[in-house]
Amino acid sequence: MAQKITPVLWFDTAAEEAANFYVSLLPDSRVTRIIHAPSDYPAGKAGDALVVEFTLAGQSYAGMNGGPIFPPNEAVSFQILTDDQAETDRLWNAITGNGGAESACGWCKDRWGFSWQVTPRRLMELITDSDPGRARRAFEAMMEMGKIDLAAIEAAADGN
């Protein structure tokens, strides 16, 4: 069944470039269609990529080249749940190393200004641990980090 709601990301002019980058990050991802402007419009010319439809980890998205009117901000972010430190490192490094920027607690921004949370599943388990002391120690360790370091969080949760 087709997805009924598709998030649309507003770009100045780089929707196609961003979509190609995003689909390189995760399996089950691909650019599915590029819609070209049938005539000139305020942010571009006839023939320019206007909308880029893509699938990212099995979910549909679109990028629209609408000009600089609405820059992205942290009010919307994309959380990627990772399975281990290697995947966390690979995704974090790809996003920040391609003109992005590091932030706190597993957050980073890509070069187009969109925010990502590169979040290990194990981190979520630890900060919701049934032992409140373990959960608190894991959470406090996370609050001191940029990229998540699972070994350090595990050690903190264990009281080491």
Side-chain angles (χ1 to χ4, degrees), residues 49-67:
L50 179 62
V51 176
V52 179
E53 297 173 349
F54 59 100
T55 300
L56 189 56
Q59 296 182 11
S60 297
Y61 293 85
M64 181 174 70
N65 287 324

Side-chain angles (χ1 to χ4, degrees), residues 1 5 12 25 27 39 63 70 77 86 88 102 107 122 125 131-132:
M1 181 174 165
I5 297 174
D12 185 354
L25 296 175
S39 64
F70 300 116
S77 64
T88 299
E102 297 185 7
W107 286 60
R122 181 67 179 138
E125 293 169 4
D131 176 340

Side-chain angles (χ1 to χ4, degrees), residues 77-154:
S77 64
F78 300 97
Q79 183 180 54
I80 305 174
L81 294 174
T82 59
D83 293 323
D84 54 31
Q85 189 67 51
E87 185 181 23
T88 299
D89 293 346
R90 180 183 67 78
L91 291 166
W92 176 275
N93 294 339
I95 293 167
T96 61
N98 187 40
E102 297 185 7
S103 191
C105 306
W107 286 60
C108 57
K109 281 189 180 182
D110 65 31
R111 68 184 291 181
W112 302 281
F114 288 97
S115 293
W116 297 80
Q117 299 175 53
V118 182
T119 308
R121 292 178 196 278
R122 181 67 179 138
L123 168 64
M124 300 307 289
E125 293 169 4
L126 288 168
I127 67 173
T128 60
D129 195 283
S130 61
D131 176 340
R134 231 173 117 68
R136 178 187 49 76
R137 289 188 300 271
F139 181 78
E140 288 173 353
M142 177 205 66
M143 293 298 293
E144 300 296 320
M145 295 179 181
K147 178 175 64 177
I148 300 301
D149 177 341
L150 275 174
I153 288 179
E154 291 271 4

Side-chain angles (χ1 to χ4, degrees), residues 5-89:
I5 297 174
T6 299
V8 178
L9 310 178
W10 185 290
F11 292 87
D12 185 354
T13 61
E16 187 172 4
E17 178 186 5
N20 284 320
F21 174 71
Y22 298 156
V23 303
S24 75
L25 296 175
L26 300 164
D28 193 18
S29 301
R30 65 198 167 284
V31 172
T32 53
R33 181 164 72 151
I34 300 172
I35 300 168
H36 297 274
S39 64
D40 291 355
Y41 63 108
K45 303 248 183 260
D48 288 353
L50 179 62
V51 176
V52 179
E53 297 173 349
F54 59 100
T55 300
L56 189 56
Q59 296 182 11
S60 297
Y61 293 85
M64 181 174 70
N65 287 324
I69 300 168
F70 300 116
N73 64 51
E74 289 81 0
V76 174
S77 64
F78 300 97
Q79 183 180 54
I80 305 174
L81 294 174
T82 59
D83 293 323
D84 54 31
Q85 189 67 51
E87 185 181 23
T88 299
D89 293 346

